Amino acid sequence: MNTLFPIFVKAENLHTLIVGGGYVGLEKLTAMLGNSPEARITLVASEIRDEIRDMAGQYPKVQLIQEPYHPIYLSDKDLVIVGTNDKTVNQQVQEDCKARKILVNVADTPALCDFYLGSVVKKGDLKIAISTNGKSPTFAKRFREVLEDILPDSLQETLDNLTAIRNQLKGDFAQKMEKLNEITKVLR
């Protein structure tokens, strides 16, 4: 049973640390910046892929530190994502985060995660996150592809129209919700 509580975080208001400069670090950095291009991210790793360096050059709020992980890098961080190929380092980062009450995600190790990075469908302002409770990221990716194919590109126009209607509605919250529910019945 999936008991995860889904939230959408304003990453641009947080300082995220990514530990790992290999393929997984690249994947996590790409996901973060793809969803929140203004996110403030520090990536620390003994070795950093060229693709990460290239990407960081395009985002002024991304800082790269080519050094081994040390707990000092947790200072002033709100969120940590770990993706090294060293299980000992991954475990250490998780323990250090727990001691500081910082939420942490350790890639491919659900037992060490406070949160998971779901697969994300984006169509304009619509964003849908998919979680398999850490069971199968591959399934989440495939399901995302299905949703991307079936959701029309015109969704942004629909969202804009609904916003305009909502802004013109009169009455209290319950009356507005009733009217919006009536209007969106066709989406069933």
Side-chain angles (χ1 to χ4, degrees):
M1 176 182 191
N2 190 333
T3 60
L4 297 173
F5 182 74
I7 63 171
F8 287 89
V9 176
K10 294 180 180 180
E12 66 274 7
N13 295 339
L14 304 174
H15 190 170
T16 301
L17 175 68
I18 297 177
V19 180
Y23 178 75
V24 176
L26 174 62
E27 178 186 4
K28 302 309 179 187
L29 182 63
T30 302
M32 286 286 297
L33 293 173
N35 283 284
S36 299
E38 294 297 316
R40 185 171 162 214
I41 301 169
T42 299
L43 184 143
V44 63
S46 297
E47 295 179 29
I48 300 174
R49 293 177 67 98
D50 288 339
E51 297 94 331
I52 291 174
R53 291 184 190 286
D54 293 343
M55 185 178 295
Q58 299 171 34
Y59 294 90
K61 293 186 179 179
V62 174
Q63 176 187 15
L64 302 181
I65 301 173
Q66 188 165 346
E67 293 182 11
Y69 165 77
H70 188 279
I72 193 147
Y73 295 122
L74 296 176
S75 178
D76 84 341
K77 302 308 181 296
D78 302 298
L79 202 63
V80 176
I81 300 170
V82 187
T84 77
N85 58 4
D86 185 331
K87 291 182 186 285
T88 305
V89 171
N90 293 350
Q91 178 75 40
Q92 186 62 56
V93 176
Q94 190 267 349
E95 290 172 9
D96 293 343
C97 287
K98 281 293 181 205
R100 290 164 179 78
K101 299 193 183 317
I102 300 172
L103 295 177
V104 63
N105 170 281
V106 180
D108 295 327
T109 315
L112 298 181
C113 294
D114 294 317
F115 65 94
Y116 302 134
L117 302 173
S119 197
V120 178
V121 177
K122 292 185 286 186
K123 291 280 184 167
D125 285 321
L126 178 68
K127 192 173 278 191
I128 302 169
I130 303 165
S131 167
T132 61
N133 205 21
K135 302 276 186 201
S136 179
T138 302
F139 175 84
K141 176 184 173 187
R142 295 295 175 235
F143 191 62
R144 180 202 68 195
E145 291 168 351
V146 168
L147 289 177
E148 285 174 341
D149 286 344
I150 64 172
L151 291 172
D153 291 332
S154 63
L155 273 177
Q156 185 60 45
E157 185 179 336
T158 302
L159 291 173
D160 291 341
N161 289 337
L162 287 170
T163 298
I165 292 167
R166 184 184 74 198
N167 291 339
Q168 294 174 358
L169 290 177
K170 305 289 184 229
D172 64 15
F173 180 77
Q175 292 168 320
K176 290 179 182 181
M177 286 303 299
E178 186 176 324
K179 184 64 177 168
L180 286 171
N181 283 334
E182 180 75 25
I183 293 168
T184 57
K185 266 188 197 172
V186 297
L187 298 176
R188 284 193 206 177

